[in-house]
C-alpha cells in the first residue's frame, strides 16, 4: 500500500479517560484496596498523594481508581473530581462546593433524604452568590418545611459565623444580607461534609483534587503549602491529591496520610497505549491501519521514553507530519523537527533556538535523559568538565525559553537548582537521534 495521510485525532495524547489506562493494575488494585479498608472500618478521613513526573499518567490513573471504587459501591461511594488547574482559592472552593452538590443531590432524592437536600440547596447558595439575602434562605426553608429537621439546617450550624447586615429598605421592609467570605464558604463545605458522615448517612465521599499544585499561579512555596493545608481542612472526606514531583515540597508531603508514586512505563506498555486507543477508534479509522500495518516507527519511538504523554505526542506528531507508513527519511533531523513542532508548538518558540538548546543540552549532560541543566553550563555551551569549545545560549535566550516553558525548573520553587528541557524535545538531541 503506498503511503497516504491518515487520521491522527483518535490518538488523544492528553486523554484522561480511565478506560484507556494500561498496565497500572498493581498500583490501581493497591489504592482501591486501601479505600476498601477505610470503607470497612467506617473511616471517612484520609489523604492520599498521587505523585510522579509531568505526563506519567496521574490523572487517568486516579480517575480509574474512582471509577472502579464507585462501580463496586454505587450506593455508598460518592467520587468526584475537582479540576484545580489555574484556580485561585475562592474559585476552587466554588467548584468544589458545586461538584459536591451535583454528586449528592440525586442520591438524596433517590433515598428520600429531604434534610440533606436542604443542606445542599443552602450550600449551593453559598457557592454561587457573593451576597445572600434572607429572602433566598427563607425560600429554601419553605421548600422543605417540616420534611427537614433543624439539624439539617446549614445556617443553624454556621450561625456563629454569620453577620447579617441591613443592606437596603424596600417600602417599610428592611432587607438583610450577608457577605459570603472565603472563610464562610470553607466552613459551609466542611459543615456539609460533616453532615454526610453522620450515623444516618450512607455515603463515603472521595474527592480527587486534580492538578492541585497548579491551583495557585505563584512561585511561593509557602503559598502552595498553605493552600494544600486549607484544602485538606475540607473534611471529613477521603482526598486524593495530584501533585507533580517537581512541585512537591516537604511541607506538603508531610500533610499526606500516604503517597503513591507512579513510575515510567516500558516500551511494550507504551505501544499497548496506541493499540488500546486504536481499538476504541471508529471503524473508518481502524481501516486505515489494517492487521499487517508496519508499526516499527512507533515501536522505535516507544523505546526512547517511559513517559506516556511524551510518547503519545510523538506518535501524534508522526502521524500528522508524515505519510503513513512513514518513509525511512522520517528520522532525518529536519523531519524530526517537523514531528516535534507538530506534536507541540511550544508556545511559539523559535525553532532554531530550540534546536540549539537541544544540541547544547546534549553537550551539558552527556546525553542523559531529563538530567539537570545548570544555567552556567547552558551559558557556556557545555559542561564545565567538557574541554571542547561550543556556542552557548545568552541570558536573554535562556529567560525566553523558561518563559515559554521550553526549559522547566527542576524544582518549581527553587529555580537555582537547575532546569529540565521539555522531554518532547528529546528527539532533537543528536544522542537520541542516533538511537533511532
Amino acid at each position: 500500500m503506498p503511503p497516504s495521510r491518515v487520521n491522527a485525532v483518535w490518538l488523544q495524547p492528553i486523554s484522561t479517560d480511565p478506560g484507556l489506562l494500561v498496565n497500572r493494575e498493581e498500583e490501581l488494585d493497591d489504592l482501591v484496596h486501601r479505600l476498601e479498608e477505610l470503607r470497612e472500618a467506617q473511616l471517612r478521613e484520609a489523604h492520599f498523594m498521587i505523585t510522579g513526573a509531568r505526563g506519567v499518567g496521574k490523572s487517568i490513573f486516579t480517575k480509574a481508581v474512582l471509577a472502579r471504587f464507585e462501580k463496586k459501591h454505587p450506593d455508598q461511594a460518592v467520587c468526584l473530581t475537582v479540576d484545580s488547574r489555574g484556580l485561585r482559592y475562592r474559585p476552587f472552593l466554588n467548584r468544589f462546593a458545586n461538584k459536591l452538590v451535583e454528586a449528592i443531590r440525586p442520591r438524596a432524592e433517590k433515598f428520600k433524604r429531604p434534610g440533606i437536600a436542604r443542606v445542599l440547596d443552602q450550600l449551593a447558595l453559598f457557592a454561587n452568590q457573593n451576597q445572600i439575602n434572607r429572602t433566598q434562605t427563607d425560600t429554601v426553608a419553605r421548600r422543605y418545611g417540616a420534611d427537614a429537621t433543624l439539624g439539617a439546617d446549614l445556617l443553624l450550624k454556621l450561625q456563629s459565623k454569620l453577620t447579617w447586615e441591613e443592606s437596603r429598605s424596600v417600602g417599610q421592609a428592611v432587607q438583610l444580607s450577608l457577605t459570603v467570605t472565603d472563610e464562610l464558604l470553607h466552613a459551609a463545605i466542611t459543615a456539609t461534609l460533616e453532615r454526610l458522615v453522620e450515623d444516618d448517612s450512607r455515603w463515603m465521599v472521595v474527592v480527587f483534587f486534580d492538578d492541585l499544585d497548579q491551583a495557585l499561579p505563584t512561585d511561593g512555596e509557602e503559598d502552595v503549602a498553605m493552600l494544600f493545608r486549607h484544602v485538606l481542612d475540607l473534611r471529613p472526606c477521603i482526598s486524593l491529591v495530584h501533585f507533580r514531583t517537581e512541585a512537591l515540597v516537604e511541607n506538603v508531603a508531610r500533610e499526606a496520610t500516604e503517597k503513591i508514586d507512579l513510575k515510567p512505563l516500558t516500551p511494550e506498555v507504551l505501544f499497548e497505549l496506541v493499540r488500546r486507543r486504536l481499538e476504541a477508534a471508529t471503524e473508518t479509522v481502524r481501516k486505515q491501519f489494517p492487521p499487517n500495518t508496519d508499526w516499527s516507527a512507533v515501536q522505535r519511538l516507544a523505546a526512547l521514553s517511559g513517559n506516556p504523554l511524551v510518547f503519545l505526542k510523538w506518535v501524534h506528531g508522526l502521524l500528522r507530519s508524515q505519510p503513513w507508513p512513514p518513509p525511512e527519511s522520517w528520522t532525518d533531523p529536519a523531519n524530526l523537527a517537523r514531528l516535534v513542532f507538530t506534536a507541540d508548538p511550544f508556545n511559539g518558540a523559535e525553532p532554531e533556538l530550540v534546536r540549539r538548546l537541544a544540541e547544547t543540552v546534549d553537550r551539558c549532560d552527556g546525553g542523559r535523559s531529563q538530567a539537570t541543566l545548570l544555567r552556567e553550563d547552558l551559558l557556556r555551551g557545555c559542561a564545565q568538565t567538557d574541554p571542547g569549545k561550543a556556542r552557548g545560549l545568552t541570558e536573554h535566550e535562556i529567560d525566553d525559553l523558561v518563559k515559554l516553558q521550553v526549559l522547566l525548573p527542576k524544582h518549581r520553587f527553587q529555580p537555582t537548582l537547575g532546569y529540565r528541557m521539555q522531554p518532547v524535545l528529546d528527539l532533537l538531541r543528536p544522542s537520541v537521534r542516533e538511537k533511532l
Side-chain angles (χ1 to χ4, degrees):
M1 179 184 297
S4 61
R5 292 291 179 180
V6 294
N7 189 313
V9 176
W10 59 273
L11 202 58
Q12 305 178 71
I14 59 174
S15 173
T16 57
D17 177 0
L20 298 176
L21 183 70
V22 173
N23 202 53
R24 293 290 189 193
E25 284 300 315
E26 184 177 345
E27 298 99 323
L28 196 152
D29 288 343
D30 178 52
L31 185 48
V32 171
H33 177 69
R34 296 191 212 186
L35 294 177
E36 190 66 42
E37 289 180 326
L38 292 168
R39 187 192 69 83
E40 292 173 355
Q42 296 187 351
L43 296 177
R44 296 295 184 267
E45 187 172 331
H47 308 304
F48 295 90
M49 187 174 295
I50 317 298
T51 64
R54 180 187 308 220
V56 80
K58 298 180 293 296
S59 293
I60 192 172
F61 165 76
T62 311
K63 288 182 179 181
V65 169
L66 296 186
R68 181 175 295 189
F69 188 65
E70 195 164 36
K71 182 177 181 180
K72 193 173 182 181
H73 305 287
D75 290 336
Q76 186 175 15
V78 179
C79 300
L80 51 143
T81 297
V82 182
D83 184 358
S84 314
R85 184 187 297 267
L87 294 182
R88 289 188 176 275
Y89 186 52
R90 179 55 176 268
F92 166 82
L93 289 177
N94 292 339
R95 181 171 293 180
F96 183 17
N98 283 317
K99 287 280 187 180
L100 187 61
V101 171
E102 291 168 10
I104 298 293
R105 179 173 280 148
R107 291 170 166 87
E109 294 172 355
K110 176 180 178 181
F111 296 105
K112 297 180 171 54
R113 302 297 302 278
I116 288 180
R118 176 178 180 171
V119 169
L120 295 174
D121 281 1
Q122 292 172 329
L123 178 60
L125 273 181
F126 283 99
N128 297 296
Q129 305 289 333
N130 291 324
Q131 293 273 337
I132 297 175
N133 59 55
R134 276 289 191 188
T135 303
Q136 293 170 303
T137 59
D138 291 345
T139 299
V140 173
R142 286 195 299 271
R143 184 180 303 150
Y144 296 96
D147 290 334
T149 63
L150 285 177
D153 194 318
L154 198 58
L155 297 180
L156 185 63
K157 292 185 176 184
L158 299 173
Q159 60 182 345
S160 63
K161 300 180 179 296
L162 304 182
T163 304
W164 293 96
E165 298 177 346
E166 294 183 6
S167 56
R168 60 189 176 87
S169 297
V170 181
Q172 299 299 316
V174 175
Q175 184 80 341
L176 296 178
S177 65
L178 62 85
T179 300
V180 182
T181 62
D182 293 358
E183 180 186 8
L184 183 55
L185 180 53
H186 188 290
I189 295 172
T190 300
T192 303
L193 291 170
E194 289 171 348
R195 178 67 186 89
L196 294 175
V197 299
E198 292 180 6
D199 291 341
D200 64 338
S201 175
R202 63 175 65 235
W203 300 304
M204 175 180 180
V205 178
V206 184
V207 186
F208 172 33
F209 297 109
D210 196 7
D211 282 324
L212 185 60
D213 58 305
Q214 298 177 66
L216 193 66
T218 177
D219 289 325
E221 180 176 334
E222 284 303 314
D223 291 336
V224 172
M226 183 179 299
L227 171 69
F228 190 74
R229 284 191 292 270
H230 282 327
V231 170
L232 295 191
D233 279 340
L234 294 166
R235 54 191 177 190
C237 67
I238 311 299
S239 59
L240 308 176
V241 182
H242 162 173
F243 246 79
R244 293 178 181 176
T245 300
E246 65 265 25
L248 189 60
V249 294
E250 184 179 354
N251 288 341
V252 168
R254 193 182 298 126
E255 303 287 343
T257 308
E258 298 188 61
K259 177 182 169 185
I260 295 89
D261 189 36
L262 297 184
K263 304 298 183 183
L265 299 174
T266 65
E268 295 76 19
V269 174
L270 290 174
F271 183 71
E272 178 64 16
L273 291 176
V274 174
R275 193 191 67 78
R276 182 75 61 87
R277 279 164 166 74
L278 186 58
E279 284 182 349
T282 65
E283 183 179 357
T284 302
V285 169
R286 292 197 301 272
K287 285 181 177 179
Q288 298 176 0
F289 302 90
N292 62 346
T293 294
D294 179 5
W295 292 101
S296 58
V298 173
Q299 291 167 330
R300 288 156 75 180
L301 289 173
L304 300 178
S305 174
N307 186 299
L309 178 61
V310 172
F311 166 68
L312 290 172
K313 281 190 172 186
W314 282 347
V315 178
H316 189 254
L318 176 65
L319 294 180
R320 292 189 59 203
S321 66
Q322 296 290 327
W324 186 264
E328 279 300 317
S329 61
W330 76 271
T331 60
D332 292 349
N335 283 330
L336 287 179
R338 184 180 175 192
L339 183 161
V340 164
F341 278 91
T342 301
D344 192 327
F346 298 103
N347 297 318
E350 173 59 43
E352 176 58 23
L353 175 59
V354 172
R355 183 194 63 77
R356 284 178 46 219
L357 169 67
E359 293 180 353
T360 303
V361 168
D362 250 12
R363 293 193 298 268
C364 289
D365 69 12
R368 293 173 296 158
S369 177
Q370 291 300 284
T372 301
L373 308 167
L374 300 178
R375 190 179 185 94
E376 52 264 35
D377 288 347
L378 293 172
L379 291 168
R380 188 185 302 111
C382 59
Q384 189 172 8
T385 55
D386 192 329
K389 292 184 178 180
R391 177 189 176 190
L393 304 174
T394 67
E395 294 275 8
H396 179 71
E397 288 172 335
I398 294 174
D399 289 341
D400 279 350
L401 291 169
V402 171
K403 188 182 302 181
L404 295 171
Q405 297 187 338
V406 175
L407 277 175
L408 307 171
K410 178 186 176 183
H411 191 291
R412 176 179 169 185
F413 307 110
Q414 299 181 43
T416 57
L417 294 181
Y419 306 97
R420 296 178 298 109
M421 184 175 68
Q422 273 276 13
V424 176
L425 291 170
D426 276 349
L427 284 182
L428 301 185
R429 299 170 58 163
S431 62
V432 175
R433 289 203 305 268
E434 291 175 3
K435 297 176 184 177
L436 283 174

